[in-house]
Amino acid sequence: MLNWKVVNRVPKLMEAKTFSALQKRFKKIGLITSKELGIKNALHFDVILIDDKEMKEINFKNRKIDKPTDVLSFAFWDSGFPTALLGEIYIDIETAQSQQTDGLENEMCLLFVHGILHLLGYDHANKKEEKEMFDLQKKILATN
């Protein structure tokens, strides 16, 4: 079962009502993802909502890319040992807002799923991986 906490570092960018609705949708997505992937053990991660400025700093520090991006995931298991603490997902509210085409809440849910899948080892470095990851992403979101 997936477990997480959401930290909103920029509450001025998201109304409390939207944040509350988003957390409810994240909960449903977490349940769907756990069921779809057969996750039975408790796996924990953090979701940190940030702005463009902080995302740009994180992106440059970790990837040497000097601009913000929509979502970054840092899996702790990359360190070589399995752990119940999966890692952290950073979602940039400003970038999500600027690229959304179907509402901010839907875009944030897409980025949440995308981040979870990266924490679980999925990637899109080549066409085969991309198809597998994006098909699973669509399947999870279709039932949300």
Side-chain angles (χ1 to χ4, degrees):
M1 179 64 62
L2 294 171
N3 298 297
W4 62 91
K5 74 175 178 192
V6 179
V7 177
N8 186 358
R9 289 193 183 160
V10 283
K12 69 181 190 288
L13 295 179
M14 183 177 291
E15 296 176 4
K17 182 178 171 183
T18 304
F19 183 67
S20 177
L22 190 61
Q23 289 204 72
K24 288 177 186 172
R25 293 213 30 217
F26 281 4
K27 183 175 183 173
K28 187 174 179 187
I29 289 168
L31 292 170
I32 293 165
T33 304
S34 293
K35 183 177 179 183
E36 183 65 34
L37 298 176
I39 298 170
K40 295 184 184 355
N41 296 332
L43 299 174
H44 305 276
F45 60 95
D46 291 331
V47 180
I48 301 100
L49 307 181
I50 59 177
D51 60 13
D52 281 345
K53 181 178 184 274
E54 187 172 356
M55 181 61 90
K56 181 179 176 182
E57 291 169 4
I58 294 169
N59 204 17
F60 185 75
K61 179 182 176 188
N62 292 280
R63 300 172 64 216
K64 302 300 181 233
I65 298 173
D66 195 24
K67 64 181 184 177
T69 189
D70 52 7
V71 61
L72 286 174
S73 299
F74 298 100
F76 294 156
W77 57 263
D78 281 346
S79 61
F81 58 92
T83 175
L85 185 57
L86 283 178
E88 297 173 328
I89 301 170
Y90 290 85
I91 300 176
D92 184 339
I93 298 172
E94 290 177 306
T95 298
Q97 179 65 51
S98 68
Q99 72 187 20
Q100 63 84 21
T101 58
D102 190 27
L104 178 59
E105 197 177 306
N106 288 333
E107 184 69 16
M108 296 290 287
C109 288
L110 169 71
L111 299 174
F112 179 66
V113 172
H114 192 86
I116 290 171
L117 293 178
H118 274 304
L119 290 182
L120 293 171
Y122 289 85
D123 204 353
H124 45 87
N126 61 51
K127 292 288 184 191
K128 182 180 176 191
E129 287 179 351
E130 181 179 289
K131 179 171 177 20
E132 179 183 16
M133 183 175 178
F134 288 10
D135 285 352
L136 182 55
Q137 195 171 273
K138 286 178 192 170
K139 184 176 184 180
I140 292 166
L141 289 168
T143 56
N144 176 30

